[in-house]
Amino acid sequence: MNIWLVTACPEAHADRLHAMLASLGHPDERTVVVTAKHHDRLNGRHVPGEAWFLIDHRHEFSLAHLWNLGIAHAYEHDATEVAVVSTDVTGTPDSLRRLRDSMRANACTMAGPNLSGPASMVLVGVDRTAHRRVPGGCFMLAAEHGLVCDVQYRWRFCDDDLEAQAREIGLVGVFAGTGLTMGPDSPLTEERAVWAVEDRERYIAKWQREPW
């Protein structure tokens, strides 16, 4: 078992980053924090211990690209599972292991916590609803499949696209009892609201269906 934790922190939310990392207690040497050049107020001093700190130096912002930098780094270091976690997530020191155990026990390609209820569900096929999908801000990938984000998405729906890829390969799951929780969505800036509309159009054009 070689679980790596990846988090993208595109803004200077050092307090949220610290709270998330402290709650999960994941080993620093298997933690990757990725930020964007134009938000480099978050710098290496804000990253604890021996965690990896990567900066995306591209001019055009893309959350999918930030995630991919961290995911690729984990794959290069022989990760068996990669957990992608937003800074508003909290959990316990055994949360990622619990999620990993449930994912592996059910032979899933991708998995996340069930944030909508106490049940665990293994999901098949392409049909998704708001309560039958992997949460975008907290998910785990089985590394042997080599899944990465489609970088055409800038802010929204890169996680939905990743799940669509995973469902083409096999099973995905949402599992109870992980101890993982997420805070409410942050309001979109005017710029990101435009990106979200464009990203939804990209998803529909690619998959010929609504995200959920």
Side-chain angles (χ1 to χ4, degrees):
M1 182 172 65
N2 186 22
I3 302 171
W4 278 66
L5 168 63
V6 172
T7 187
C9 195
E11 297 172 307
H13 292 316
D15 54 343
R16 291 193 346 194
L17 174 67
H18 290 166
M20 180 272 287
L21 294 176
S23 73
L24 295 179
H26 198 66
D28 290 350
E29 64 273 14
R30 288 187 277 120
T31 297
V32 187
V33 178
V34 191
T35 191
K37 181 180 180 181
H38 62 287
H39 289 307
D40 60 6
R41 288 174 298 166
L42 179 75
N43 55 52
R45 294 192 303 274
H46 296 117
V47 179
E50 300 301 317
W52 298 87
F53 181 65
L54 307 180
I55 299 177
D56 177 15
H57 290 284
R58 299 185 327 145
H59 175 70
E60 185 175 81
F61 176 83
S62 166
L63 178 61
H65 188 74
L66 293 184
W67 280 352
N68 276 355
L69 285 176
I71 292 169
H73 188 86
Y75 288 165
E76 290 167 4
H77 287 78
D78 299 319
T80 52
E81 297 84 22
V82 181
V84 178
V85 180
S86 297
T87 56
D88 61 348
V89 170
T90 57
T92 66
D94 64 347
S95 286
L96 297 184
R97 179 194 56 78
R98 289 182 183 182
L99 181 57
R100 182 263 180 200
D101 289 351
S102 294
M103 182 178 75
R104 292 302 188 182
N106 290 278
C108 291
T109 302
M110 179 180 183
N114 187 352
L115 304 177
S116 302
S120 294
M121 296 180 287
V122 175
L123 309 173
V124 297
V126 300
D127 292 333
R128 303 170 74 233
T129 69
H131 301 299
R132 293 179 62 82
R133 64 189 182 101
V134 177
C138 186
F139 58 86
M140 182 174 285
L141 304 172
E144 65 269 21
H145 300 290
L147 286 172
V148 295
C149 299
D150 184 337
V151 295
Q152 70 172 314
Y153 303 100
R154 297 194 69 182
W155 187 250
R156 289 278 175 90
F157 303 107
C158 51
D159 53 300
D160 299 274
D161 185 276
L162 197 58
E163 184 177 341
Q165 294 180 54
R167 286 179 182 237
E168 286 198 327
I169 295 171
L171 305 175
V172 301
V174 288
F175 298 105
T178 64
L180 293 162
T181 60
M182 289 181 63
D185 288 341
S186 301
L188 290 177
T189 64
E190 183 176 345
E191 180 180 42
R192 288 178 182 169
V194 172
W195 293 351
V197 171
E198 294 172 347
D199 287 342
R200 186 179 186 88
E201 292 171 351
R202 292 183 179 106
Y203 183 97
I204 294 170
K206 177 178 179 178
W207 297 101
Q208 296 298 299
R209 59 178 183 267
E210 297 284 338
W212 46 275

